[in-house]
Amino acid sequence: MSIDPTYYREIIMDNYSYPRHKELTDDKEYDHRHMASDSCIDDITVQAKIKDGKVQDVRFDGQACTISTASTSILTHLLEGKTIAEAENIINNYNKMIHGQPYDADVLEDAVAFEGVAKQPNRIGCATIGWRAMEEMIEDYEKDHPSKQKEEASK
C-alpha cells in the first residue's frame, strides 16, 4: 500500500491535536490498564467497557508523545462496537504492521498511518502502548467469559 506520507502525517497530527475518547470515566463497568514507558513520557490509562462479547467503548487519558496519543486515539475509534474476535483481528494486524510483517490494511483503516513505525524500532513502544493495554483487557475478558468466546467462534 503506497500512500503519500503527508496524508499519514495529517492523520497522526489530527489524532494527536484532537484525540478521540480522551476522557476517563468513573463507571465501574469499565476495565482499565495503566501503562507507562521506561524510556519516554508515555504514561496513560486506557479504559474499555467490554460486555456481551463486544467492545462497547474505549477511552484513555494521560500524558504521552504524539505517536502514543494518536495511535491510542485511533484505537479507541477503531475498536468501538467491535466483537472480541473483530477486535483481536484488528490488534493482530496492527501488531504485524508495526513489526514489518504482512498485514491486512483494510481492517486497520486510519491505523495504517503508523506503518512507517516498523522502520523506527525506538518508536514501536510508543505506537503500541494503548494497543497492549487493550490486548490485556481482552485477555482478561476472555478468561472471565470463556463460554462467550466459544459462542462467538461458532458464529
Side-chain angles (χ1 to χ4, degrees):
M1 179 176 207
S2 181
I3 293 185
D4 180 1
T6 303
Y7 177 68
Y8 285 165
R9 276 192 297 277
E10 287 174 10
I11 291 170
I12 292 168
M13 290 310 298
D14 179 56
N15 278 276
Y16 173 68
S17 300
Y18 308 101
R20 282 55 162 188
H21 305 272
K22 191 171 188 265
E23 180 181 9
L24 299 179
T25 179
D26 292 330
D27 187 333
K28 301 297 181 210
E29 289 192 72
Y30 283 73
D31 192 0
H32 67 280
R33 287 293 179 287
H34 175 253
M35 306 294 279
S37 171
D38 293 334
S39 60
C40 68
I41 66 164
D42 297 341
D43 187 340
I44 64 171
T45 298
V46 180
Q47 293 181 318
K49 183 176 183 179
I50 304 172
K51 192 172 180 180
D52 300 325
K54 282 196 169 185
V55 179
Q56 294 184 346
D57 189 30
V58 184
R59 46 188 61 235
F60 76 106
D61 203 359
Q63 182 177 4
C65 70
T66 302
I67 297 296
S68 296
T69 300
S71 69
T72 305
S73 172
I74 289 171
L75 162 87
T76 65
H77 176 70
L78 195 53
L79 296 189
E80 186 177 42
K82 300 292 193 282
T83 66
I84 295 297
E86 290 169 330
E88 287 177 323
N89 183 46
I90 291 166
I91 292 168
N92 183 41
N93 275 285
Y94 183 81
N95 284 325
K96 286 179 180 179
M97 178 189 70
I98 291 296
H99 290 93
Q101 300 168 357
Y103 64 95
D104 182 354
D106 292 336
V107 302
L108 295 180
E109 299 177 17
D110 282 351
V112 296
F114 297 97
E115 75 173 353
V117 170
K119 298 174 189 162
Q120 303 173 38
N122 60 324
R123 303 302 292 198
I124 289 174
C126 303
T128 58
I129 194 166
W131 296 76
R132 289 192 321 267
M134 248 344 270
E135 279 181 300
E136 289 180 15
M137 288 185 280
I138 288 172
E139 286 173 14
D140 284 353
Y141 178 84
E142 289 175 321
K143 285 177 193 170
D144 294 341
H145 302 85
S147 61
K148 298 272 188 207
Q149 200 55 22
K150 290 176 188 172
E151 289 172 20
E152 283 181 31
S154 67
K155 290 182 182 177

